[in-house]
Amino acid sequence: MGTPVKDVELPDRPELQELLLEKHASYIETFEKNKDDLDYCMTEFLRVSGIYWCLTAMDLIGQLDRMNKTEILDYVMSCFDKDTGGFRPAVNHDPHLLYTLSAVQILILYDSVSLIDKDRIVSFVSKLQQPDGSFVGDRWGEVDTRFSFCALATLSLLGRLDAVDIEKSVQFISSCMNFDGGFGVIPGSESHAGQVYCCVGSLAICKRLDVINADQLGWWLCERQLPSGGLNGRPEKLPDVCYSWWVLASLSIIGRIHWIDKERLTQFIMATQDDETGGFSDRPGDMVDPFHTLFGLAGLSLLGNRQIKGVNLIFCLPQNVIERLELDYELLKE
Amino acid sequence: MHGRLKVRSTAEQEEARRREKEKKVLWYREKNESIFAKRAAGEKDRDTLKLTEEVLLENSDVGTLWSYRREILTELLPTCSQEDSETMCKTELNILERCLRVNPKAYCVWLHRRWVLEHSPAPQWAHEKQLCDLFLNHDERNFHCWDYRRYVIRKAGIPPSDEFKYSFDKIATNFSNHSAWHYRSKLLPLLHPSHSSSNGIDENAMKKEYELAQNAFYTDPSDQSAWFYHKWLLGRGTRGTMIGCVLVRRDPAPFIAVSFNQNVKSTEEEPIIVTLGDALPKPVTDSGRFESLWWSCDLVFPKDEEVTVRIEKGDGVLVEMSLDKGSNSSLWLTPDLDLLFSTYLTAATSEVLDSELVMCRELLQLEPDNKWCLLTTLQLLEAIDYDKHHKEIIDLYDKLVKCDPLRRGYYNDLRSRHLIAVKLRRRLEERRESPDINSFDLSQLNLSRLYFTQHMVFIEDLLLNGNKLNSTHSLEGLKNLKSLQSLSLADNQLITLPKTLGGLTNLKSLSLENNDIKELEDFDTLRSLPELKELNIRGNPVCQLSDCEPFVKKMLPNIKLIH
């Protein structure tokens, strides 16, 4: 027997039809201040990424000045590991590619790249590339297409793509392509919208979107939209606000964002707002967090909401920040 | 924080929970501090293992604590007896299993498990496979566990045929298990390779897979996994590169344009090479572009002389044509127009296409509104003969938009693609007979997007009025119309002028009548059109602006403005 369609029903709450900008700003502001909160404490292992989610969310809604720039930059710099050239997620933790990208995104956002020794970071990232073109996340050898994206995005933001073998990187990503046109974690892994974003983003950075079968992938991606309007990350899974970013950005990179119903997705994202605390959750009625708050806002931005700044499809930073860098990447138009 | 429901509670409950949380924060911090102090001091002993275990059982996502455990184990294991190290590894696996039961999607837990097995004196791969069975029974879609399973299978040397059977069992339990269909797509070419078939899979094995997909369709026709798998079996489209047309022109400026069936790059390894007469072959420069139309003005044709033109790209793509003495231009068209517009079901023989069509038609009798079946029927018809089945294909697209409105943008684009393919193929056939045909009528078709414009490079007069073209991306293809002199975009839904219009440097007449253009600044794009003589903007909101006429006339002083 097959399973019934997994989906949620949107609550009938007119107060959620409006974008609660001030509430979201105050949610993020408080989240970063409440350092004794249990959730804050238990997520220390990803702190630098958490800071990136918060800052980008705030910048997208024009409230970046409510964050403590000096304190944040001091903290991020204290996570730089001079020995390897990578960034730790938090003081005492081990450096990793995931947090190196987040840290570089933060520094770019604050236009403060001059604070760091770029060459050290470039050396950290390039040493993680394997002979088959893949990237490991750190010295323990885990391979994942997420790490390919982290490496290529970091180097692109630093203007140093020349430091790795692009051709091999592309070959590895191609080897992760599946029967449905999507991409997985490693060769052989099932397609997943988050990995699709990482692979499509990587190929855009490498200007090798020719590798993709855009009509097939676009079909699989637009089939992520459920009757509620929300997007899931794989067939027969529940919708989740973060896929408003992973799926939507991937569709935009391959020039097919109009293959989903934008209005219905907007309604779904709006329904995941919490009108008491501010912030967005994965699904209506769940607990909010900064991760879903960023991707809810970024999704709405891609859907054309004028109250939110334009967001860059590949680096998930405000478009004006990326324009400052004059980066070179590819987007499919046909 | 995925899937954590927000629960309402009383003030009293709230307070109790707050105190509980406060206590936990203190505990967590204290433990972490002492662990990191020990690590800084270089301590690698069993006590520290115990300490990190306590924290990891509470929060298994902390990758650094697992790293610390690996550092400790690396130190301790070589000093232990065989028996002792086996016990230590076993303890480690037990802790990991307890963590996975709570947090089965933790990347660092699965990573650590691999490491432990790699460093175990006697890894029990059979036990690991059982663990995978257990976890995949509990959550059949856990992709971490599926990846771990593939690793274990490789290590244990279990043959792919066993796993093929396993994927069948999982599918039989639940036809919606996309993970299991996915696994099958990886195993099938390994188990049944064939050098003769176009997708590398033995035809008899394929037949069985078609049957399996069919069973799934009949069990629950709304399960998307089997339909994706079916599309893959039919062959979803690696096509060879071919050239559609080549346009060569002497005047007003030397020009050559080559259209391909798909986007191509001209790279150093595989450049597009043009040879004119006896001159040396010249590679088209690698600009990093990825396009279906390649063109160059960077050529010198001998005046008043016949010249042969050769185009080459990679494996066997080759065109040879000539530009006669005394003629200004010449168009080469592929003899294989059918292939140029054919759709993607490359792996299936016509026999298979026919039998799958029969199956779909039968299923449609039972499930007339099933979108998956409608789409598959339509794609089979397109692959069999898109021209012959044109009317039915259009009816099916219209029905799909009604049955599945969320994806109307997708269906409308495919429908536009099909319509343009049918019309353009006929037009190219006519062009082959009468070389003076340079116009093309694509009006009143409800097109949502332009396709195949690279093969329209010679068209001088294009009617696109009465469609649903509404945005920049839907008109991106205009950039390929290098010969265009007259263009009608009347009665569309344009809100703004696409920038691609600015590249149509031969354009003399442009109609934008009855669109939704609101901003005067939009016309700025047209400044780069030196030949533009006539512009129709009647019926646009912009005409209501009092300064509309003077503004446009000032910007484009030499044109006839209809407003």
Side-chain angles (χ1 to χ4, degrees):
Chain A
M1 258 311 285
T3 37
V5 177
K6 288 191 179 134
D7 199 3
V8 295
E9 269 190 44
L10 299 193
D12 183 20
R13 306 223 6 233
E15 59 272 34
L16 294 181
Q17 280 167 17
E18 183 187 338
L19 185 56
L20 308 167
L21 283 180
E22 175 46 39
K23 286 216 163 115
H24 300 320
S26 92
Y27 165 71
I28 295 285
E29 195 180 7
T30 333
F31 184 88
E32 264 302 313
K33 277 184 184 152
N34 263 344
K35 300 206 168 15
D36 292 330
D37 180 75
L38 179 63
D39 284 338
Y40 193 89
C41 206
M42 296 295 266
T43 54
E44 188 189 45
F45 67 90
L46 50 71
R47 181 65 54 237
V48 169
S49 291
I51 295 172
Y52 153 73
W53 300 328
C54 288
L55 289 180
T56 307
M58 285 301 242
D59 199 356
L60 285 178
I61 56 177
Q63 301 286 331
L64 188 61
D65 51 7
R66 285 163 76 168
M67 305 298 277
N68 190 331
K69 179 176 173 179
T70 323
E71 188 188 299
I72 287 171
L73 285 178
D74 282 351
Y75 184 79
V76 171
M77 288 313 295
S78 75
C79 292
F80 183 62
D81 177 43
K82 287 188 199 69
D83 295 337
T84 59
F87 279 88
R88 309 166 184 279
V91 180
N92 286 327
H93 290 250
D94 289 349
H96 195 283
L97 250 182
L98 285 169
Y99 313 106
T100 304
L101 172 60
S102 295
V104 169
Q105 283 168 314
I106 293 168
L107 293 166
I108 297 272
L109 187 90
Y110 273 139
D111 204 2
S112 301
V113 179
S114 57
L115 290 177
I116 39 161
D117 183 352
K118 269 204 223 178
D119 291 344
R120 298 289 308 140
I121 302 179
V122 171
S123 137
F124 172 75
V125 175
S126 56
K127 278 184 191 150
L128 295 174
Q129 188 169 37
Q130 304 302 296
D132 66 355
S134 66
F135 285 85
V136 293
D138 64 9
R139 67 196 161 110
W140 297 106
E142 185 182 11
V143 173
D144 188 324
T145 44
R146 285 181 305 153
F147 306 151
S148 295
F149 177 75
C150 290
L152 294 164
T154 302
L155 294 177
S156 175
L157 286 169
L158 297 176
R160 287 298 311 277
L161 274 177
D162 60 291
V164 289
D165 188 332
I166 295 293
E167 189 56 38
K168 282 241 162 97
S169 307
V170 171
Q171 268 172 26
F172 177 75
I173 290 165
S174 311
S175 73
C176 297
M177 200 195 288
N178 291 321
F179 80 107
D180 46 23
F183 295 85
V185 177
I186 47 170
S189 306
E190 180 184 353
S191 299
H192 179 289
Q195 312 291 147
V196 168
Y197 168 81
C198 289
C199 292
V200 171
S202 297
L203 293 170
I205 290 169
C206 298
K207 297 213 239 170
R208 285 300 307 275
L209 288 171
D210 53 316
V211 164
I212 288 169
N213 182 335
D215 281 332
Q216 172 66 36
L217 176 60
W219 177 41
W220 188 83
L221 286 169
C222 75
E223 281 296 342
R224 298 306 102 238
Q225 190 164 35
L226 296 162
S228 66
L231 303 171
N232 62 15
R234 290 188 286 158
E236 320 289 347
K237 302 291 270 184
L238 283 170
D240 181 327
V241 155
C242 65
Y243 295 111
S244 312
W245 177 255
W246 313 122
V247 174
L248 218 49
S250 305
L251 276 171
S252 302
I253 294 170
I254 63 170
R256 282 154 176 82
I257 190 173
H258 61 291
W259 283 8
I260 56 123
D261 188 318
K262 294 185 188 178
E263 211 166 294
R264 296 286 289 283
L265 176 58
T266 304
Q267 285 164 8
F268 177 87
I269 301 177
M270 296 299 255
T272 62
Q273 300 181 98
D274 188 322
D275 58 335
E276 287 171 358
T277 58
F280 293 72
S281 56
D282 58 351
R283 285 181 277 284
D286 281 355
M287 300 282 282
V288 298
D289 60 64
F291 177 83
H292 289 96
T293 303
L294 168 60
F295 293 124
L297 290 168
L300 289 173
S301 169
L302 287 186
L303 290 165
N305 186 305
R306 298 283 181 94
Q307 290 172 280
I308 306 168
K309 279 192 201 174
V311 64
N312 182 271
L313 290 175
I314 295 170
F315 300 98
C316 196
L317 284 168
Q319 184 62 22
N320 65 322
V321 171
I322 294 301
E323 272 163 18
R324 208 160 58 205
L325 302 176
E326 295 177 7
L327 297 181
D328 198 17
Y329 51 81
E330 184 175 70
L331 300 177
L332 280 192
K333 287 177 178 163
E334 303 178 62
Chain B
M1 225 161 283
H2 284 95
R4 254 174 65 181
L5 197 69
K6 190 173 168 175
V7 194
R8 308 225 155 252
S9 47
T10 64
E12 212 170 314
Q13 287 171 318
E14 199 70 41
E15 176 58 21
R17 195 169 310 138
R18 195 188 58 77
R19 256 177 297 167
E20 190 64 29
K21 279 185 173 180
E22 224 172 64
K23 237 165 79 188
K24 206 165 170 192
V25 168
L26 284 177
W27 175 87
Y28 188 76
R29 283 195 175 147
E30 202 179 295
K31 291 283 175 194
N32 271 300
E33 269 165 33
S34 80
I35 290 171
F36 288 125
K38 281 175 182 291
R39 195 181 189 207
E43 285 182 32
K44 289 174 185 168
D45 51 28
R46 288 174 195 248
D47 285 350
T48 326
L49 280 181
K50 195 75 212 146
L51 199 57
T52 48
E53 177 186 332
E54 279 178 57
V55 178
L56 285 167
L57 286 171
E58 286 296 320
N59 191 359
S60 53
D61 278 319
V62 190
T64 303
L65 296 188
W66 293 113
S67 307
Y68 190 16
R69 286 182 83 82
R70 288 193 285 275
E71 288 165 4
I72 299 170
L73 290 168
T74 307
E75 187 98 348
L76 295 184
L77 284 175
T79 64
C80 300
S81 67
Q82 165 98 7
E83 205 186 358
D84 201 12
S85 61
E86 269 180 39
T87 318
M88 276 178 88
C89 288
K90 222 171 167 178
T91 314
E92 203 65 12
L93 293 176
N94 280 334
I95 298 167
L96 284 162
E97 195 169 327
R98 284 169 69 194
C99 290
L100 285 174
R101 282 176 192 276
V102 184
N103 191 4
K105 294 181 178 174
Y107 288 94
C108 52
V109 183
W110 291 105
L111 171 71
H112 190 65
R113 195 166 182 98
R114 282 189 202 203
W115 187 91
V116 173
L117 284 154
E118 299 279 345
H119 292 80
S120 250
Q124 303 292 312
W125 297 112
H127 175 265
E128 293 310 298
K129 183 169 162 276
Q130 279 169 10
L131 178 105
C132 293
D133 288 344
L134 191 79
F135 273 81
L136 289 177
N137 281 340
H138 180 68
D139 175 3
E140 60 186 15
R141 302 294 305 283
N142 183 340
F143 70 84
H144 302 269
C145 189
W146 277 104
D147 282 345
Y148 185 68
R149 181 184 185 93
R150 282 182 273 267
Y151 160 77
V152 168
I153 296 302
R154 214 167 43 241
K155 285 286 179 185
I158 292 166
S161 52
D162 285 17
E163 287 299 282
F164 199 58
K165 166 92 177 47
Y166 179 74
S167 76
F168 175 81
D169 293 343
K170 292 310 259 184
I171 289 169
T173 314
N174 180 3
F175 277 119
S176 310
N177 191 336
H178 197 77
S179 310
W181 288 103
H182 160 82
Y183 200 12
R184 236 176 144 70
S185 79
K186 296 287 171 191
L187 294 166
L188 189 62
L190 283 182
L191 278 170
H192 301 286
S194 155
H195 294 298
S196 53
S197 80
S198 65
N199 65 348
I201 301 167
D202 175 67
E203 290 210 11
N204 283 326
M206 291 274 283
K207 270 195 189 124
K208 287 187 187 155
E209 296 308 295
Y210 281 118
E211 279 165 27
L212 181 63
Q214 201 174 327
N215 280 338
F217 302 155
Y218 273 86
T219 309
D220 183 350
S222 304
D223 271 355
Q224 55 185 291
S225 305
W227 292 104
F228 276 113
Y229 190 72
H230 187 249
K231 178 85 184 281
W232 173 72
L233 289 175
L234 290 169
R236 57 164 180 73
T238 38
R239 293 182 297 170
T241 302
M242 66 182 279
I243 292 178
C245 68
V246 181
L247 176 66
V248 186
R249 201 165 51 212
R250 282 189 228 255
D251 285 319
F255 178 76
I256 180 163
V258 185
S259 76
F260 291 88
N261 60 330
Q262 55 196 356
N263 286 348
V264 293
K265 285 190 171 177
S266 179
T267 59
E268 215 169 287
E269 298 80 46
E270 210 185 271
I272 300 168
I273 298 172
V274 180
T275 315
L276 293 182
D278 303 329
L280 285 174
K282 194 174 168 185
V284 176
T285 34
D286 174 12
S287 58
R289 286 186 306 148
F290 178 44
E291 311 268 10
S292 55
L293 183 78
W294 283 83
W295 51 276
S296 171
C297 308
D298 187 21
L299 296 162
V300 185
F301 288 111
K303 279 265 176 205
D304 303 323
E305 240 178 76
E306 180 180 334
V307 57
T308 57
V309 181
R310 246 173 96 96
I311 318 279
E312 290 164 87
K313 167 145 176 64
D315 30 280
V317 178
L318 177 76
V319 169
E320 253 182 346
M321 61 186 289
S322 65
L323 178 58
D324 292 344
K325 184 179 176 185
S327 36
N328 182 40
S329 70
S330 173
L331 180 75
W332 178 91
L333 283 174
T334 174
D336 208 350
L337 286 175
D338 245 345
L339 202 60
L340 192 60
F341 299 108
S342 75
T343 49
Y344 306 113
L345 308 180
T346 48
T349 58
S350 59
E351 218 171 86
V352 171
L353 291 175
D354 289 338
S355 74
E356 290 308 293
L357 181 64
V358 169
M359 183 273 294
C360 281
R361 286 200 196 280
E362 281 169 9
L363 188 55
L364 272 184
Q365 301 270 316
L366 304 169
E367 300 274 345
D369 295 330
N370 181 277
K371 67 162 192 173
W372 302 98
C373 196
L374 288 167
L375 183 62
T376 307
T377 307
L378 177 167
Q379 286 170 337
L380 287 164
L381 288 169
E382 283 185 340
I384 292 167
D385 189 336
Y386 60 88
D387 198 47
K388 187 174 144 200
H389 299 294
H390 172 56
K391 204 183 156 317
E392 188 180 356
I393 290 168
I394 291 297
D395 288 345
L396 284 166
Y397 275 123
D398 291 344
K399 186 151 192 198
L400 268 171
V401 171
K402 284 197 191 94
C403 294
D404 186 22
L406 282 181
R407 275 157 282 274
R408 61 190 179 280
Y410 171 61
Y411 302 128
N412 283 333
D413 278 4
L414 292 189
R415 180 184 169 282
S416 304
R417 186 187 185 283
H418 164 74
L419 270 167
I420 297 173
V422 169
K423 300 258 169 196
L424 184 57
R425 194 185 79 162
R426 289 179 193 165
R427 198 61 179 155
L428 293 178
E429 269 160 8
E430 288 161 8
R431 176 62 165 76
R432 210 202 301 277
E433 302 308 315
S434 5
D436 50 345
I437 287 182
N438 288 314
S439 65
F440 190 29
D441 185 352
L442 284 174
S443 64
Q444 314 294 347
L445 294 171
N446 284 333
L447 300 179
S448 61
R449 198 171 189 165
L450 296 183
Y451 285 87
F452 302 118
T453 53
Q454 69 271 29
H455 310 309
M456 302 177 203
V457 64
F458 65 96
I459 294 289
E460 294 172 3
D461 183 353
L462 179 63
L463 294 177
L464 282 171
N465 47 302
N467 286 300
K468 287 184 176 159
L469 301 164
N470 62 2
S471 63
T472 305
H473 77 253
S474 66
L475 289 168
E476 183 62 27
L478 282 180
K479 66 170 191 260
N480 291 331
L481 294 157
K482 299 287 173 197
S483 306
L484 207 59
Q485 297 182 16
S486 168
L487 172 65
S488 173
L489 282 166
D491 301 303
N492 277 286
Q493 299 160 357
L494 295 176
I495 304 161
T496 165
L497 277 193
K499 290 236 163 26
T500 40
L501 278 179
L504 305 178
T505 47
N506 297 313
L507 203 62
K508 293 184 175 132
S509 158
L510 173 64
S511 174
L512 297 165
E513 193 172 346
N514 293 332
N515 276 283
D516 202 16
I517 297 161
K518 297 187 181 74
E519 313 265 347
L520 282 169
E521 287 69 24
D522 273 7
F523 296 115
D524 215 32
T525 309
L526 304 179
R527 271 185 210 265
S528 57
L529 304 179
E531 306 286 328
L532 192 64
K533 299 283 183 304
E534 189 175 305
L535 175 66
N536 184 341
I537 58 169
R538 196 154 46 194
N540 282 279
V542 75
C543 299
Q544 308 295 321
L545 301 174
S546 57
D547 57 341
C548 176
E549 190 186 351
F551 185 93
V552 180
K553 287 219 154 141
K554 194 175 164 210
M555 191 186 298
L556 307 160
N558 301 319
I559 62 158
K560 181 180 160 202
L561 181 69
I562 303 165
H563 61 101

